[in-house]
Amino acid sequence: MCGIFGIFGHPEASNLAYLGLHALQHRGQESAGIVTSDGERLYAHRSMGLVQDAFSEDVLSKLPGAVGIGHVRYSTAGGSGLRNAQPLAVDYARGSLAVAHNGNLTNADELRERLEARGSIFQSSADTETVVHLIAQSAQRTIEDRVVDALSQVEGAYSMVFLTEDRIIAVRDPRGFRPLCLGTLRSRGGVHVVASEPVSFDLIDAELLRSLEPGEMLVIDKGGVRSSFPFARQEVRECVFEHVYFARPDSPLGGATVYDVRRALGRRLGDEHPVEADVVVPVPDSGVPSAMGFAERLGIPFELGLIRSHYVGRTFIEPSQSIRHFGVTLKLNPVTSVLRGKRVVVVDDSIVRGTTSRKIVKMLRDAGAREVHVRVSSPPTRWPCYYGIDTPTRRELIASSHTTDEIARYLTADSLGYISLDGMIDAVVGARGEGAEARARFCHACFSGEYPVEFRGQPAGRQLRLLGV
Ligand code: AMP
């Protein structure tokens, strides 16, 4: 998963890109990068780690110009490492080009083999690089046409921002898997911004104009913003997991604030899996709104029975299993006065491997909870995502090989209830104020196995090991 940002027309483009990325940090903590243009050439800085660690004032001052794009990365395709950090920036026959990508291309492997057979030399193992090669090799004349030509050959999920010396091109794929929004600065006329989520705009005092439509391409340059729909039409498939977990709760996405959607998910969960209990406790932060909805629906007091330390990243983010186990206790601590002797319902947004929930159940019992009931505001995660969310292989997904009863036993929970697939979609559509026809607009492959685009393999694992860049 990743966050992307673009700004056109502000003399402090790098500073604003930095702030914009800061607000998108939840979408990726592995690496961060900004590329700017002063009208003649591009300036790039990429680094591993959080936005605040990747950029100092000094680094930002060396990224001049009024146009810029940025990226925060949480590795999906291509593995981790600085050589896969984005934005990718290259020089090619027509000038310089940079790109930031959120999503995952499902035919990158095939494209890469084809390109390599023709002599392309890849610098990274990321799927995004195929797009850069396709643009460089395109027979089209203008950069807009080259981008369209390249993207017409790729499949899968792509919200992307491109930067050239004098313009930004923003594209949302025809299925609209990943979000992408357009805004404008309040304090200064004629400055346009694009970002994965509108929370990015709040921090720089920009106003959300609208979401890009699936299949829409925006060209932002001195002439303003031009919109077109140059790709073959597809059925829309927005990622439902953005609402369940990924997006920030304060982001308005698709007509409703994610917070409201999550509360609605919690209410529906309460309808589907009621339980007699003394207290509802969220797994912070991701489970908070749905736990509130659940508590509200069943009339059970809501309490913060687990406190989160904010000085560690998301535990899931650590690639090594041993560190992740340690991470749960590093991150959460129980409030014994809330829990002792109580029948506790603990609400989280999802169970992936089950290791986090198992630790949490144990933590609650150790703190004196009499009963522990687990409620989950998404259905069992049974299938890997090929469109940009980092999910483990099928084998590691506990629900791919275990029934709900078996999972409850593994968690050592007194009961376990997941929201149903229909219930989840109804809640999202209802909170967004949409009609029944909108139910078909979502991708829920990770829960249902209904993949809207066939996955055709990842680039083979030929990887240079780059040390000390
Ligand atoms: P697990 O221990 O694998 O069951 O992890 C479940 C926890 O990870 C839940 O609390 C979720 O909020 C969180 N989570 C679910 N999906 C992701 C993801 N793709 N990236 C990071 N965290 C996730």
Side-chain angles (χ1 to χ4, degrees):
M1 186 38 86
C2 299
I4 60 177
F5 182 87
I7 178 160
F8 186 94
H10 196 287
E12 287 183 53
S14 63
N15 286 342
L16 294 188
Y18 170 86
L19 293 172
L21 290 182
H22 193 79
L24 297 175
Q25 187 77 78
H26 61 289
R27 297 182 71 86
Q29 300 87 20
E30 188 189 87
S31 66
I34 295 175
V35 181
T36 57
S37 168
D38 62 3
E40 283 174 15
R41 61 153 92 176
L42 304 194
Y43 301 79
H45 178 78
R46 298 177 295 166
S47 173
M48 300 304 288
L50 301 177
V51 177
Q52 66 194 50
D53 302 325
F55 295 95
S56 61
E57 261 185 83
D58 183 46
V59 167
L60 288 169
S61 71
K62 290 178 181 144
L63 297 169
V67 196
I69 64 171
H71 189 265
V72 285
R73 177 163 207 262
Y74 174 33
S75 66
T76 48
S80 53
L82 189 56
R83 75 200 201 106
N84 286 328
Q86 293 194 19
L88 289 178
V90 298
D91 290 321
Y92 74 116
R94 304 291 181 105
S96 299
L97 177 71
V99 57
H101 174 197
N102 175 205
N104 227 19
L105 306 178
T106 52
N107 64 339
D109 188 16
E110 283 175 17
L111 288 171
R112 184 175 175 137
E113 270 174 28
R114 213 175 75 205
L115 287 159
E116 287 187 328
R118 281 197 235 141
S120 288
I121 296 171
F122 277 75
Q123 300 232 351
S124 76
S125 54
D127 55 347
T128 314
E129 197 182 341
T130 53
V131 176
V132 175
H133 286 268
L134 291 170
I135 291 174
Q137 294 188 7
S138 171
Q140 298 294 324
R141 209 177 50 80
T142 66
I143 180 65
E144 287 87 341
D145 289 344
R146 285 169 168 262
V147 167
V148 173
D149 185 22
L151 292 180
S152 302
Q153 299 173 63
V154 306
E155 285 165 18
Y158 53 90
S159 282
M160 284 185 173
V161 265
F162 297 87
L163 172 75
T164 67
E165 290 83 352
D166 64 352
R167 69 196 60 197
I168 282 179
I169 300 174
V171 182
R172 189 169 177 209
D173 70 68
R175 292 181 182 82
F177 281 108
R178 302 278 149 234
L180 192 59
C181 311
L182 172 69
T184 179
L185 239 57
R186 289 198 181 93
S187 56
R188 198 181 172 103
V191 182
H192 284 100
V193 278
V194 286
S196 296
E197 292 181 39
V199 284
S200 192
F201 299 157
D202 295 340
L203 198 54
I204 56 174
D205 203 21
E207 180 188 349
L208 170 68
L209 292 176
R210 61 185 179 85
S211 273
L212 270 73
E213 294 293 325
E216 183 171 9
M217 174 163 120
L218 295 181
V219 178
I220 309 175
D221 61 13
K222 277 214 294 283
V225 181
R226 293 188 301 284
S227 160
S228 61
F229 290 83
F231 308 106
R233 250 186 91 124
Q234 304 283 353
E235 285 180 1
V236 173
R237 290 289 182 271
E238 286 173 58
C239 169
V240 76
F241 201 59
E242 290 273 353
H243 295 278
V244 169
Y245 172 76
F246 223 89
R248 244 172 68 162
D250 43 340
S251 269
L253 273 195
T257 303
V258 171
Y259 178 85
D260 294 335
V261 171
R262 289 187 188 160
R263 265 187 101 130
L265 287 166
R267 287 194 295 270
R268 178 69 182 233
L269 185 60
D271 291 337
E272 293 189 3
H273 297 286
V275 57
E276 277 195 22
D278 304 310
V279 63
V280 173
V281 164
V283 177
D285 294 327
S286 53
V288 172
S290 52
M292 290 173 87
F294 187 91
E296 177 190 323
R297 179 53 51 100
L298 296 181
I300 305 171
F302 169 91
E303 296 280 0
L304 296 177
L306 291 165
I307 300 300
R308 176 175 169 176
S309 162
H310 286 273
Y311 304 102
V312 280
R314 283 183 175 179
T315 57
F316 195 91
I317 241 73
E318 289 290 346
S320 130
Q321 187 80 5
S322 55
I323 297 175
R324 190 174 49 251
H325 277 271
F326 168 67
V328 175
T329 27
L330 193 70
K331 185 166 129 179
L332 295 175
N333 211 33
V335 182
T336 41
S337 57
V338 168
L339 303 165
R340 195 177 297 126
K342 302 273 178 56
R343 295 170 299 171
V344 176
V345 188
V346 61
V347 182
D348 203 356
D349 62 274
S350 57
I351 295 179
V352 183
R353 296 177 173 89
T355 49
T356 310
S357 311
R358 184 179 155 96
K359 296 239 165 212
I360 287 169
V361 172
K362 182 164 189 310
M363 189 180 277
L364 295 171
R365 287 203 196 280
D366 289 349
R370 187 148 57 88
E371 292 173 19
V372 179
H373 302 273
V374 178
R375 294 294 179 270
V376 187
S377 62
S378 63
T381 308
R382 296 203 167 100
W383 304 87
C385 175
Y386 299 127
Y387 314 123
I389 301 267
D390 185 55
T391 34
T393 57
R394 262 215 98 190
R395 208 161 43 85
E396 292 169 272
L397 296 171
I398 190 167
S400 74
S401 53
H402 293 82
T403 64
T404 300
D405 281 349
E406 287 167 347
I407 299 170
R409 275 202 294 282
Y410 171 73
L411 303 182
T412 72
D414 292 289
S415 74
L416 168 64
Y418 290 92
I419 199 171
S420 63
L421 185 63
D422 279 346
M424 173 182 67
I425 304 220
D426 283 346
V428 176
V429 167
R432 289 173 27 151
E434 295 169 328
E437 71 291 346
R439 300 185 86 260
R441 282 178 63 100
F442 294 97
C443 174
H444 40 69
C446 52
F447 306 120
S448 63
E450 289 167 30
Y451 290 102
V453 188
E454 187 198 347
F455 178 67
R456 298 208 247 126
Q458 293 282 8
R462 289 161 306 219
Q463 286 218 13
L464 282 176
R465 295 199 55 194
L466 271 194
L467 303 173
V469 182

